[in-house]
Amino acid sequence: MGTLRIASSFKNVHAIMHAPLGDDYFNVMRSMLERERDFTPMTTSIVDRHVLARGSQEKVVQNILCKDQQEQPDLILLTPTCTSSILQEDLQNFVNQAILNSKSDILLADVNHYRINELQAADRTLHQIIQFYLQKPFSTHIQKTLKPSVNIIGIFTLGFHHQHDCRELKRLLFDLDIQINLIFPEGLTVQQIQSIPNAWLNLVPYREVGLMTAHYLQTQFQMPFVDISPIGLIETAKFIRQIASFLPFNPIFEHYINEQTHLISQAAWFTRSIDCQNLTGKKAFVFGDTTHAIALTKILVREMGIQVVCAGTYCIHDANWFREQIEGFCNELLITEDHTKVANTIVRLEPSAIFGTQMERHIGKRLNIPCGVISAPIHIQNFPLGYRPFLGYEGINQIADLIYNSFTLGMEDHLLEIFGGHDIKEVITHSLSHQPQVNWSEKSLSELKKIPGFVRNRIKRNTEQYAQQNNIHLITLEVLYAAKESLASSRSHGNIAKW
Amino acid sequence: MNEQLNFECETGNYHTFCPISCVAWLYQKIEDSFFLVIGTKTCGYFLQNALGVMIFAEPRYAMAELEESDISAQLNDFKELKRLCKQIQSSRNPSVIIWIGTCTTEIIKMDLEGLAPKIEADLKLPIVVARANGLDYAFTQGEDTVLAALVHRCTKNRFKHQSTNKKLVLFGSVSNTVANQLSFELQKQNIFIDGWLPAHNYLELPNLDANVYVCGINPFLSRTATTLMRRRKCKLIGAPFPIGPDGTKQWILKICDAFQQTPINLVEREQATWTQLHDYCKLIRNKSVFFMGDNLLEISLARFLIRCGMKVYEIGIPYLDKRFQASELQFLKSTCKQMHCALPRIVEKPDNYSQIQRIHEFQPDLVITGMGLANPLEARGINTKWSVEFTFAQIHGFANARDILELVTRPLRRNIKLQI
């Protein structure tokens, strides 16, 4: 999955999965979540019974060559899946065969499904592609840009608020008078890879994806990198200072940080304002990928005075770093991929708000605890149309809103509970209650209860009306359905313009 | 006009859902069941992402995620599965656990069918095995594998005196509402249903023997039909499927035939439904439609839409059982004749890439397709409707014909309304 995300972020790179039917749901996610307008550049070389019996033989090679001709991509990336890993076919051999007859470059993604997760796969694949193109002999000529410039590594498809973060980062760098050499992998063509070393340094805003590439570029081309995530006021300042340390001295940096923090960004004042006093000592639970979980924990503790009772991540491969970073910021650590463990911990700790993934949102829903979504895995709601960065100074405003709104909702809930909640709905429906001239059979009544609350009353009224008109005194299941049908037909004879 | 239906078969490079998705609706249908999907991260990822929110609403299913040590047989499958099932039994107390075998269990040849009876005996809890994997099946065929596995659990007639009365059992998973509606339709013909496969409770599975007539309500249930005939000696009523008023009428007619009942009031019932659909039909008359194919409902839906006055360019379908769908195919032919339109081409195992080329060529008014291709097609100015919605919506019987057209016309109605 991570491999596919990287591949489809590049321009004119096509991924071919060696997978059974149905494993290509990645294109559903991309076209639905990102609301992508283009066809996802991905096909499947289907593994079916025949493949099990005789091996893929020519099939994979043919599929590769076919794509080569149909779409003429620069690079075709052959991707193994968990199914093909067990088959242990020699995919590299297929790649070698296909190279002979293809105009595109062809690579086999070096990922093992049983050892690494999506993010690791993405990190690796990005490194693999960059390395592949930088090793080509004609790429040796490096010409550093005249003015200070950076590459931004790790912006890619289906990333959590990546597009917005990227825009915010661009603005920040523009303000600091730093040029952007390249942003990748999103939108990069493989030809551009050769100009990567022209930048002065690399920025890796997300811990999960890009570090491998950054390390590689450091050893190969002596390019320094900054791997601080600029999320939160303090971290953003650190991020800027770190960049500055690699550049010739420039006094505007400190001035810029000061101005942004105290005058431009609303968050610093907001957290000092009286409203935020109420948040002091409130208990929060944080869970997500390492980048966002750590950043959120630090913001909650240092910038809003909220107690983080537990912080956790599902990136178990990066557990040590997480521990090190989060040391001293929270009471408990939770490093697990098991969402039932997360749920149980939340139940035990009873936080007043959760900041987590969509999973934690669902847990929160069941427990009646408000939840702000801060990290993938995510849903379509987390691909907002409006501008919602998490990085930089505008990001801080957004995060402050998110945190504050989560808690207010929680407070409201408690107040309602203290005063017994509003039962007003019940009262209104009672006063509107009808004269029960018709009776409901047990079965039809239980069917009625299954109808969603917001239309139930209307359907009840209409059915009773229908029964009265037809002189029926007992509403059975059959009558209920008949009423629905007759209602539907009377509606369809109505005004078609109403649609 | 070409008199024969034109069947083609392409490369099978098409997009559809993995058949394990059937747990999403089956666990809701069979209320006392627990589904255990034995697969890898990929399977779990699919269930979570592609099927979205409802997974967490009421989790009566789980993943047994295979790890490297399972694959290389360092762990004992039997012990691992038994431990998991024991845990499920104590925390959820279901009446049945249904194991869903996946591609991985298939390839490493995990002997689920062999393990299940042993664990079943140990735990005294029925364990049903269905191999709903992407190697062999597409999307809705997952349900077929589960129902076929359930057939073996239907008891033979438990009464001592074998009655010689003909009985009727319907197979196919539909919501209880639709099941009730279809029962009422048949009651009007003095035909009473003796059972459903699946019933809404595992413990209420129907009795099956040679006196039982069975009839399918979904076109993707060919395996279940075969199992019913071969293993339980049931008699299959071959009929078009009760999708659309025309299909429903034919379906009831065939059942009436089998039970030697003269249909009562059936033509009027169909006519009344068509009258209700009039406004919708006006909207789609002479419009063209292209089925890319991913859920096996395509033939029945195309037949209904032709009857509504639409033109069908192509019916893509993952897999076509010409015997199980024989009546439906026949009905498609006669419908085309009645409506004076050319027989559509039927493409089995379609190739999405060439389909898109054909779509560009034909410029159909509507493409019925999967989620992965819908947005890109819309961006190219082609109206689309998600095919999965037909799987999840209530589309059977007279009463729900409206809902099908509601779905089909929605993109057209929406695009009329949009002013930008």
Side-chain angles (χ1 to χ4, degrees):
Chain A
M1 194 60 53
T3 304
L4 296 174
R5 283 175 58 188
I6 293 292
S8 61
S9 298
F10 278 104
K11 254 192 204 150
N12 213 17
V13 170
H14 197 97
I16 295 186
M17 274 175 103
H18 187 236
L21 196 61
D23 267 4
D24 58 347
Y25 54 87
F26 172 72
N27 68 31
V28 174
M29 290 175 60
R30 193 166 128 97
S31 109
M32 296 307 299
L33 297 181
E34 293 255 37
R35 304 179 190 90
E36 186 54 55
R37 289 164 200 241
D38 272 321
F39 294 106
T40 306
M42 180 204 110
T43 30
T44 320
S45 173
I46 303 259
V47 176
D48 57 14
R49 279 282 152 196
H50 297 294
V51 172
L52 282 195
R54 315 173 303 143
S56 306
Q57 298 188 347
E58 295 299 302
K59 201 171 175 185
V60 176
V61 180
Q62 269 165 16
N63 273 315
I64 294 176
L65 294 179
C66 182
K67 268 303 135 196
D68 178 44
Q69 284 179 358
Q70 285 171 349
E71 315 232 325
Q72 287 149 5
D74 297 319
L75 168 69
I76 294 179
L77 195 70
L78 183 63
T79 314
T81 58
C82 53
T83 311
S84 67
S85 308
I86 328 173
L87 285 176
Q88 302 191 330
E89 282 194 279
D90 189 359
L91 295 177
Q92 187 58 52
N93 178 34
F94 296 144
V95 169
N96 296 343
Q97 278 180 46
I99 286 174
L100 299 175
N101 296 311
S102 140
K103 285 196 203 71
S104 328
D105 296 316
I106 305 170
L107 269 181
L108 172 67
D110 172 29
V111 289
N112 178 329
H113 243 87
Y114 296 94
R115 300 207 179 143
I116 57 173
N117 67 18
E118 175 181 349
L119 295 168
Q120 287 168 289
D123 201 11
R124 239 168 223 258
T125 307
L126 180 60
H127 171 226
Q128 200 187 351
I129 295 177
I130 301 289
Q131 190 176 24
F132 177 74
Y133 281 99
L134 283 180
Q135 270 172 355
K136 288 196 162 187
F138 49 84
S139 67
T140 41
H141 185 66
I142 300 168
Q143 186 157 27
K144 291 280 177 204
T145 53
L146 292 175
K147 275 170 80 179
S149 67
V150 295
N151 295 319
I152 303 176
I153 309 179
I155 306 286
F156 69 134
T157 195
L158 288 173
F160 182 70
H161 292 234
H162 274 197
Q163 300 308 326
H164 311 280
D165 282 352
C166 182
R167 205 168 118 196
E168 182 63 23
L169 219 44
K170 276 188 202 164
R171 200 176 73 169
L172 188 106
L173 291 168
F174 176 80
D175 287 347
L176 296 173
D177 200 25
I178 296 172
Q179 280 185 352
I180 294 172
N181 184 43
L182 288 172
I183 296 170
F184 57 93
E186 186 69 53
L188 196 78
T189 63
V190 293
Q191 289 84 4
Q192 286 174 295
I193 290 178
Q194 285 169 38
S195 44
I196 285 177
N198 294 352
W200 292 30
L201 70 153
N202 291 313
L203 306 182
V204 187
Y206 309 107
R207 167 92 190 158
E208 288 74 20
V209 175
L211 268 189
M212 263 179 98
T213 313
H215 279 293
Y216 164 75
L217 293 172
Q218 188 180 36
T219 40
Q220 209 66 29
F221 300 95
Q222 290 77 47
M223 295 177 79
F225 65 88
V226 175
D227 63 348
I228 296 169
S229 305
I231 308 179
L233 284 171
I234 297 173
E235 292 297 307
T236 305
K238 242 171 134 181
F239 171 78
I240 296 174
R241 286 189 189 115
Q242 179 103 43
I243 295 177
S245 73
F246 293 114
L247 304 177
F249 176 73
N250 186 343
I252 76 159
F253 281 34
E254 277 308 315
H255 174 71
Y256 180 76
I257 293 172
N258 224 336
E259 189 185 64
Q260 286 290 335
T261 310
H262 298 293
L263 299 174
I264 311 287
S265 159
Q266 297 297 313
W269 157 239
F270 175 70
T271 51
R272 298 222 162 261
S273 72
I274 194 77
D275 243 358
C276 269
Q277 263 185 19
N278 291 334
L279 298 183
T280 313
K282 281 252 177 272
K283 290 196 292 183
F285 177 95
V286 181
F287 197 83
D289 61 15
T290 43
T291 302
H292 290 92
I294 290 169
L296 247 289
T297 306
K298 288 180 176 172
I299 292 174
L300 286 166
V301 174
R302 288 190 298 198
E303 298 178 22
M304 299 194 93
I306 291 162
Q307 184 193 358
V308 174
V309 281
C310 179
T313 181
Y314 53 79
C315 297
I316 45 182
H317 62 278
D318 212 8
N320 287 336
W321 189 77
F322 186 78
R323 275 196 205 98
E324 195 183 296
Q325 286 292 309
I326 214 83
E327 177 87 68
F329 282 102
C330 60
N331 308 10
E332 260 183 61
L333 275 176
L334 180 67
I335 296 166
T336 178
E337 280 184 334
D338 179 353
H339 77 270
T340 49
K341 256 189 203 157
V342 179
N344 292 340
T345 314
I346 295 176
V347 171
R348 178 166 54 83
L349 295 173
E350 290 178 23
S352 28
I354 304 170
F355 299 95
T357 69
Q358 280 289 339
M359 297 282 222
E360 283 70 47
R361 194 175 67 87
H362 284 282
I363 296 167
K365 239 191 208 166
R366 258 189 285 160
L367 301 173
N368 244 332
I369 303 173
C371 176
V373 176
I374 55 145
S375 156
I378 39 181
H379 239 302
I380 193 154
Q381 306 143 309
N382 304 110
F383 291 88
L385 302 175
Y387 186 47
R388 300 268 168 72
F390 264 61
L391 299 188
Y393 289 104
E394 178 53 29
I396 300 159
N397 291 340
Q398 296 290 339
I399 294 173
D401 275 344
L402 178 77
I403 294 174
Y404 185 72
N405 290 345
S406 303
F407 278 107
T408 327
L409 293 176
M411 285 280 286
E412 240 172 85
D413 239 18
H414 288 308
L415 286 177
L416 287 176
E417 217 160 79
I418 292 166
F419 296 108
H422 26 205
D423 274 333
I424 309 158
K425 269 188 205 156
E426 195 84 14
V427 178
I428 289 174
T429 41
H430 271 305
S431 68
L432 281 176
S433 80
H434 45 274
Q435 310 78 2
Q437 291 174 335
V438 283
N439 294 315
W440 287 73
S441 79
E442 215 170 284
K443 267 193 179 169
S444 59
L445 212 53
S446 73
E447 180 80 13
L448 184 71
K449 278 183 191 145
K450 282 185 211 151
I451 294 166
F454 55 95
V455 286
R456 195 185 300 144
N457 270 333
R458 201 185 69 211
I459 289 182
K460 191 172 178 223
R461 254 196 328 273
N462 287 335
T463 311
E464 284 169 355
Q465 218 172 9
Y466 172 86
Q468 278 175 353
Q469 281 165 1
N470 292 284
N471 260 329
I472 299 167
H473 298 292
L474 179 72
I475 296 176
T476 59
L477 210 47
E478 208 173 349
V479 176
L480 181 66
Y481 295 143
K484 190 185 156 211
E485 242 182 278
S486 102
L487 188 73
S489 70
S490 68
R491 223 191 319 149
S492 82
H493 288 301
N495 191 354
I496 201 163
K498 263 193 210 157
W499 298 347
Chain B
M1 197 183 289
N2 190 359
E3 285 302 307
Q4 284 304 310
L5 282 169
N6 200 0
F7 297 102
E8 281 172 45
C9 188
E10 288 189 320
T11 59
N13 272 337
Y14 64 102
H15 166 71
T16 181
F17 276 158
C18 172
I20 58 171
S21 52
C22 67
V23 298
W25 64 89
L26 284 175
Y27 92 95
Q28 289 180 344
K29 174 72 191 178
I30 311 171
E31 287 164 11
D32 53 354
S33 64
F34 190 99
F35 284 81
L36 185 67
V37 181
I38 305 165
T40 57
K41 270 202 187 77
T42 316
C43 312
Y45 207 77
F46 164 69
L47 285 172
Q48 260 177 34
N49 283 297
L51 297 175
V53 184
M54 57 186 171
I55 292 192
F56 310 102
E58 192 206 345
R60 270 211 332 276
Y61 64 84
M63 283 284 312
E65 200 177 283
L66 296 167
E67 283 167 12
E68 201 161 22
S69 42
D70 295 305
I71 307 291
S72 51
Q74 287 166 9
L75 289 178
N76 184 319
D77 300 339
F78 176 73
K79 277 189 197 153
E80 286 297 302
L81 281 171
K82 187 174 165 186
R83 182 178 60 81
L84 277 174
C85 289
K86 225 175 192 164
Q87 198 186 334
I88 293 165
Q89 189 180 30
S90 64
S91 64
R92 311 269 169 185
N93 195 27
S95 312
V96 59
I97 296 181
I98 298 173
W99 288 354
I100 303 288
T102 59
C103 306
T104 313
T105 58
E106 225 32 50
I107 294 171
I108 62 173
K109 302 206 189 321
M110 200 186 239
D111 181 19
L112 297 178
E113 277 90 350
L115 294 171
K118 290 184 202 151
I119 295 176
E120 176 166 331
D122 279 0
L123 300 183
K124 299 192 172 48
L125 175 70
I127 292 174
V128 173
V129 181
R131 301 177 176 203
N133 60 67
L135 295 169
D136 301 312
Y137 306 108
F139 196 17
T140 47
Q141 286 179 293
E143 175 179 324
D144 195 19
T145 61
V146 174
L147 296 193
L150 283 175
V151 170
H152 296 284
R153 301 306 176 112
C154 297
T155 43
K156 280 195 182 156
N157 208 330
R158 34 184 129 110
F159 307 109
K160 279 183 188 157
H161 309 290
Q162 285 233 339
S163 67
T164 45
N165 287 344
K166 291 179 186 174
K167 295 204 173 65
L168 178 64
V169 168
L170 299 183
F171 59 97
S173 160
V174 282
S175 74
N176 293 340
T177 308
V178 176
N180 287 332
Q181 284 170 340
L182 290 175
S183 307
F184 286 136
E185 294 296 348
L186 288 174
Q187 268 175 35
K188 287 179 188 158
Q189 310 297 335
N190 291 316
I191 294 169
F192 296 89
I193 297 171
D194 297 280
W196 279 88
L197 177 71
H200 61 85
N201 245 312
Y202 174 75
L203 298 173
E204 288 170 18
L205 282 178
N207 296 326
L208 295 173
D209 60 28
N211 288 320
V212 172
Y213 280 72
V214 289
C215 190
I217 57 164
N218 274 323
F220 45 78
L221 298 173
S222 61
R223 217 183 145 80
T224 311
T226 320
T227 317
L228 283 165
M229 288 191 290
R230 297 216 180 126
R231 305 304 294 267
R232 294 291 169 183
K233 308 293 172 223
C234 300
K235 297 186 180 69
L236 179 72
I237 304 174
F241 301 97
I243 291 168
D246 48 342
T248 311
K249 185 184 103 182
Q250 288 299 323
W251 181 74
I252 294 173
L253 269 180
K254 291 278 185 177
I255 296 176
C256 284
D257 270 1
F259 283 76
Q260 279 131 24
Q261 293 279 351
T262 322
I264 311 159
N265 213 9
L266 198 54
V267 180
E268 292 82 351
R269 181 91 173 96
E270 190 200 354
Q271 204 44 55
T273 313
W274 281 116
T275 317
Q276 283 179 29
L277 300 179
H278 183 71
D279 283 351
Y280 284 105
C281 287
K282 237 170 33 192
L283 213 65
I284 52 174
R285 190 161 299 141
N286 292 324
K287 295 246 162 59
S288 55
V289 61
F290 188 109
F291 286 87
M292 292 193 79
D294 76 342
N295 59 14
L296 285 93
L297 294 171
E298 292 86 2
I299 305 267
S300 313
L301 287 173
R303 177 260 303 152
F304 169 52
L305 292 181
I306 291 172
R307 182 66 183 74
C308 291
M310 291 187 91
K311 290 192 168 43
V312 176
Y313 282 136
E314 173 167 331
I315 306 176
I317 187 167
Y319 166 76
L320 180 63
D321 184 336
K322 286 180 196 154
R323 274 201 301 181
F324 183 60
Q325 296 227 38
S327 300
E328 185 63 76
L329 287 169
Q330 197 55 45
F331 193 30
L332 173 71
K333 262 164 86 172
S334 63
T335 305
C336 285
K337 206 169 177 186
Q338 184 192 348
M339 301 303 291
H340 304 291
C341 68
L343 291 169
R345 66 195 235 158
I346 297 176
V347 180
E348 236 186 312
K349 291 184 151 206
D351 182 299
N352 278 166
Y353 184 84
S354 25
Q355 280 187 317
I356 290 166
Q357 310 299 318
R358 291 199 288 272
I359 288 172
H360 281 311
E361 197 180 313
F362 291 144
Q363 291 290 321
D365 296 303
L366 182 70
V367 175
I368 294 181
T369 181
M371 292 178 161
L373 301 169
N375 265 340
L377 284 172
E378 287 280 350
R380 282 157 185 72
I382 290 165
N383 293 323
T384 59
K385 186 75 219 142
W386 289 342
S387 52
V388 275
E389 284 191 74
F390 295 101
T391 323
F392 296 127
Q394 308 189 341
I395 59 170
H396 295 85
F398 289 118
N400 296 313
R402 240 187 108 73
D403 293 29
I404 306 177
L405 291 188
E406 177 75 29
L407 286 177
V408 170
T409 56
R410 193 173 298 160
L412 304 170
R413 284 182 283 129
R414 199 259 317 245
N415 291 351
I416 291 169
K417 266 179 134 182
L418 291 183
Q419 292 181 355
I420 34 165

